[in-house]
Amino acid sequence: MRKNLIYLLAIAALFSINVTALFAQKTAKTMKYKAEKGALLYEITGNGVEKPSYLYGTIHLICSEDMIPIEKFDQYISKTEQMYLELDLDDPNLIKGILAINSAKRDKTIADYLTTEQLAKVDEMFKTYLGAPFEAVKQSHPFFLQQAVITSPKSMNCTPPGSYDKSLMETAVKNKMEVRGLEEIQTQIDAINSITIEKYAKDIYELAEDPETNFAQFRSMVDIYKTQNSEKLQEFVQSKMVENPAFQDTFLDQRNNNWIPVIEEQIKEKPTFIAVGAAHLNGKSGLITQLKKKGYKLKPIRF
């Protein structure tokens, strides 16, 4: 049980789209989307690349039945010699970093920023979706509490959730490929800590006000993801970030900018399979846009 919990925390740290920041608001209804353009998998060629590399946009936690069968990736992974995820999931510092941030003593918890009535609603949500009262989890970092609620079996309607990161890494290991990370865990820890406890408290309370509506928002995102329409997915994510430009800058734009030199170096050295959160693909600072500006050709591949 503890091993599974630690792994889920690792995946939560990879959750580049802070789902509570996106969905802790009363907005659109769940909708169905058609695949129109864009893709989740892209072949990278040109600009001095001798052999094709591949860029894939994941959703870090998803019901297994909603996943593209991992076997469909084999023909592309087999053409590469190494794999890059956002983080190296085998790095011992990953677990140490996650446990450290989650167990660190904090002067204040989200309770310090909530009224008695608001805390009661949050407590009710934790009991319903985590099976534990607030008192039992109050020392956990609120970032992980957010992720735990959104990705709980009851909110996702499946158990256990699947993970592209885990499945892709297992495929790479099977192919005897080296798996590396585009960034160190400390980068994501810094991003998580850049948000104040007060802001986390506000987001968690907004989630507790109407959790089912917010979970429907998450499922809307999954519906779009399943169409492999990365451009429509970007529009959806962007619409949720209008009120939080600082979050976009910290969790998406800055990290994209940091990853581009790493990606360029690696794809010119050897064919590489790269998997990152799908929110990093499109947009003005997206990896696809930046790579195209540098002269690379990105060919969409649909399953």
Side-chain angles (χ1 to χ4, degrees), residues 27-134:
T27 50
K29 297 178 181 179
T30 304
M31 300 174 64
K32 298 297 181 182
Y33 297 89
K34 295 180 180 179
E36 298 171 354
K37 54 184 178 180
L40 295 174
L41 179 65
Y42 288 81
E43 179 187 76
I44 307 173
T45 57
N47 197 23
V49 171
E50 295 184 2
K51 295 181 180 179
S53 286
Y54 297 90
L55 173 65
Y56 181 67
T58 72
I59 185 168
H60 296 302
L61 286 177
I62 186 173
C63 292
S64 297
E65 59 267 28
D66 290 328
M67 293 177 65
I68 298 170
I70 209 66
E71 294 78 16
K72 291 192 174 184
F73 295 90
D74 286 347
Q75 61 177 308
Y76 305 106
I77 295 176
S78 64
K79 295 177 182 178
T80 62
E81 298 176 18
Q82 63 180 355
M83 181 177 292
Y84 267 76
L85 304 176
E86 291 183 24
L87 296 172
D88 179 358
L89 296 182
D90 278 338
D91 183 358
N93 291 322
L94 175 64
I95 300 302
K96 290 179 182 177
I98 292 169
L99 292 178
I101 186 177
N102 197 48
S103 61
K105 291 184 178 180
R106 282 169 284 278
D107 295 334
K108 293 186 177 182
T109 71
I110 62 172
D112 293 296
Y113 300 98
L114 299 174
T115 66
T116 301
E117 292 76 15
Q118 289 173 333
L119 185 58
K121 266 200 171 297
V122 170
D123 183 65
E124 180 185 355
M125 178 178 70
F126 286 166
K127 288 177 180 176
T128 301
Y129 294 98
L130 299 184
F134 171 73

Side-chain angles (χ1 to χ4, degrees), residues 2 5-6 9-10 13 91-107 138-144 185-186 188-190 192-193 197:
R2 179 173 174 77
L5 174 61
I6 290 174
L9 286 175
D91 183 358
N93 291 322
L94 175 64
I95 300 302
K96 290 179 182 177
I98 292 169
L99 292 178
I101 186 177
N102 197 48
S103 61
K105 291 184 178 180
R106 282 169 284 278
D107 295 334
K138 67 180 182 181
Q139 290 304 321
S140 294
H141 195 287
F143 173 85
F144 294 118
I185 181 59
Q186 190 58 49
Q188 292 205 6
I189 289 175
D190 290 343
I192 291 169
N193 283 333
I197 300 297

Side-chain angles (χ1 to χ4, degrees), residues 146-159:
Q146 290 178 347
Q147 311 307 319
V149 171
I150 288 286
T151 59
S152 71
K154 189 165 184 176
S155 62
M156 293 187 70
N157 293 327
C158 65
T159 181

Side-chain angles (χ1 to χ4, degrees), residues 188-207:
Q188 292 205 6
I189 289 175
D190 290 343
I192 291 169
N193 283 333
S194 70
I195 299 174
T196 65
I197 300 297
E198 183 176 10
K199 180 64 168 65
Y200 280 119
K202 178 178 180 292
D203 288 341
I204 289 175
Y205 172 66
E206 288 181 354
L207 177 62

Side-chain angles (χ1 to χ4, degrees), residues 32-37 223-224 227-229 232 302:
K32 298 297 181 182
Y33 297 89
K34 295 180 180 179
E36 298 171 354
K37 54 184 178 180
D223 285 342
I224 302 172
T227 70
Q228 302 179 52
N229 187 339
K232 182 65 71 174
R302 300 184 63 85

